[in-house]
Amino acid sequence: EAAVTQSPRNKVTVTGGNVTLSCRQTNSHNYMYWYRQDTGHGLRLIHYSYGAGNLQIGDVPDGYKATRTTQEDFFLLLELASPSQTSLYFCASRDRATETLYFGSGTRLTVL
Amino acid sequence: QQKVQQSPESLTVSEGAMASLNCTFSDRSSDNFRWYRQHSGKGLEVLVSIFSDGEKEEGSFTAHLNRASLHVFLHIREPQPSDSALYLCAVSTTGNYKYVFGAGTRLKVIA
């Protein structure tokens, strides 16, 4: 089973702050995803990538940048954090054979 | 754009009673459906995947797909209090690498 590790587990920042969320997967999956989860909205796709150096725009990309530095590592960047970005963020990788997403444990971000 | 809706928003059942959750999707070309479970404060774990009309069973979880009616159901047989969690439906189309999630059904199983 895929192993997806996110860090930090919790993060508090202030409005205008700079935040980087990290994700590493160790099963050589090509596709990786960043989602945010908010009550009443389910999971919404922010960005995804199919390999190092690639970035695809998701459904709610405004205010977020992302970078895939290696096959394993995918980062989500909030350069000017706003309270509306307070959320639970999940990273996932996709198993090509089964097309199943495997998720990390999430990062809870609070923007004051 | 694909819309995925789940009902009910919350459901309480007694231990051992069948629990049935509903997921409705809008894109008729969808052919890739999954149910995930999320315990409070945890990540998502996949329960069952289904790709064609009919049923697919994984342990105590059975997915039932009817693409003509745009519904996919999850039935949980003899749920236990440990099955209390948020259940999420995810829908995709082969060749499209985006997965759309519903908002979830929060299940509570009481002893």
Side-chain angles (χ1 to χ4, degrees), chain B residues 3-110:
Chain B
K3 301 263 187 247
V4 177
Q5 295 184 304
Q6 292 185 237
S7 62
E9 286 187 20
S10 63
L11 177 66
T12 299
V13 299
S14 298
E15 183 177 2
M18 175 78 78
S20 294
L21 287 61
N22 179 37
C23 174
T24 304
F25 55 97
S26 62
D27 185 348
R28 289 188 178 278
S29 66
S30 303
D31 60 2
N32 191 317
F33 306 86
R34 281 176 180 78
W35 284 96
Y36 286 85
R37 179 171 68 183
Q38 182 183 20
H39 284 109
S40 183
K42 306 291 186 183
L44 283 71
E45 59 174 321
V46 60
L47 299 174
V48 58
S49 306
I50 189 166
F51 309 107
S52 57
D53 285 347
E55 292 191 346
K56 175 77 177 298
E57 183 177 320
E58 295 283 356
S60 60
F61 303 101
T62 301
H64 182 112
L65 175 62
N66 184 328
R67 289 174 62 185
S69 67
L70 301 172
H71 285 275
V72 56
F73 299 94
L74 178 68
H75 303 295
I76 307 173
R77 188 171 52 255
E78 298 183 353
Q80 303 298 307
S82 59
D83 290 314
S84 297
L86 182 68
Y87 289 78
L88 294 155
C89 170
V91 181
S92 182
T93 304
T94 300
N96 181 339
Y97 300 102
K98 294 171 66 173
Y99 299 75
V100 181
F101 286 78
T105 291
R106 188 162 297 281
L107 176 67
K108 183 176 181 180
V109 182
I110 54 177

Side-chain angles (χ1 to χ4, degrees), chain A residues 9 31 33 35 37 40-45 48 57-59 88 90 94-95 98-106 108, chain B residues 1 31-32 34 36 38 41-46 49 51 86 88 92-104:
Chain A
R9 195 68 199 273
Y31 277 81
Y33 302 77
Y35 285 90
Q37 184 180 33
H41 289 280
L43 274 75
R44 291 182 289 174
L45 181 63
Y48 63 108
I57 305 300
D59 298 322
L88 182 57
F90 284 103
R94 176 181 173 272
D95 183 300
T98 64
E99 298 188 13
T100 300
L101 295 184
Y102 291 93
F103 285 83
S105 298
R108 184 166 293 281
Chain B
Q1 187 173 350
D31 60 2
N32 191 317
R34 281 176 180 78
Y36 286 85
Q38 182 183 20
K42 306 291 186 183
L44 283 71
E45 59 174 321
V46 60
S49 306
F51 309 107
L86 182 68
L88 294 155
S92 182
T93 304
T94 300
N96 181 339
Y97 300 102
K98 294 171 66 173
Y99 299 75
V100 181
F101 286 78

